[in-house]
C-alpha cells in the first residue's frame, strides 16, 4: 500500500494518508491508516506538519472520499519531503 497526499484548493493545507505499521506486533494485514496533516506557507517551501492520527481503513477511506468531493486534489509535490 502506498502513501497518498492530498492538497486543498487554496494550496494551503495537506493531508497524507499512509499505512500504519505497528512495530510491537508486526502482521501482514494493514487494518489502520495514519493520517498526517499540515500547512503550506509558501509554494517553494516544505509543508509544516501539525499532527497525525490513526484511523481504521474504513474511516480513512470515508475522509479521503469526502476531501476529494470538497475539491482536494492528489499531489506528489511534497513526496520528497517525507
Amino acid at each position: 500500500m502506498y502513501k497518498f497526499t492530498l492538497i486543498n484548493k487554496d494550496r494551503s493545507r495537506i493531508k497524507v494518508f499512509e499505512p500504519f505499521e505497528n512495530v510491537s506486533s508486526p502482521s501482514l494485514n494493514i487494518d489502520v491508516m495514519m493520517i498526517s496533516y499540515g500547512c503550506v506557507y509558501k509554494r517553494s517551501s516544505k509543508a509544516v506538519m501539525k499532527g497525525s492520527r490513526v484511523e481504521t481503513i474504513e474511516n480513512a477511506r470515508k475522509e479521503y472520499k469526502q476531501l476529494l468531493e470538497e475539491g482536494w486534489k492528489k499531489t506528489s509535490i511534497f513526496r520528497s519531503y517525507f
Side-chain angles (χ1 to χ4, degrees):
M1 192 176 263
Y2 297 103
K3 183 186 303 190
F4 299 98
T5 305
L6 295 179
I7 191 163
N8 69 346
K9 292 179 198 176
D10 300 330
R11 298 183 152 270
S12 61
R13 294 178 28 202
I14 65 167
K15 286 198 178 189
V16 181
F17 294 77
E18 61 185 313
F20 180 74
E21 297 177 17
N22 188 354
V23 292
S24 63
S25 63
S27 67
L28 297 176
N29 293 338
I30 300 171
D31 54 352
V32 292
M33 299 283 291
M34 183 167 66
I35 303 172
S36 304
Y37 44 92
C39 299
V40 181
Y41 295 106
K42 293 181 182 178
R43 277 192 189 178
S44 60
S45 67
K46 85 178 197 180
V48 177
M49 301 311 288
K50 297 290 188 180
S52 63
R53 66 182 193 279
V54 177
E55 294 281 346
T56 62
I57 286 186
E58 293 82 20
N59 289 341
R61 284 181 179 158
K62 287 177 188 175
E63 182 175 347
Y64 187 86
K65 183 179 177 182
Q66 179 184 4
L67 291 172
L68 288 176
E69 289 172 355
E70 290 175 5
W72 289 56
K73 298 198 186 268
K74 296 178 192 177
T75 184
S76 60
I77 296 171
F78 301 100
R79 186 166 292 174
S80 62
Y81 293 128
F82 302 121

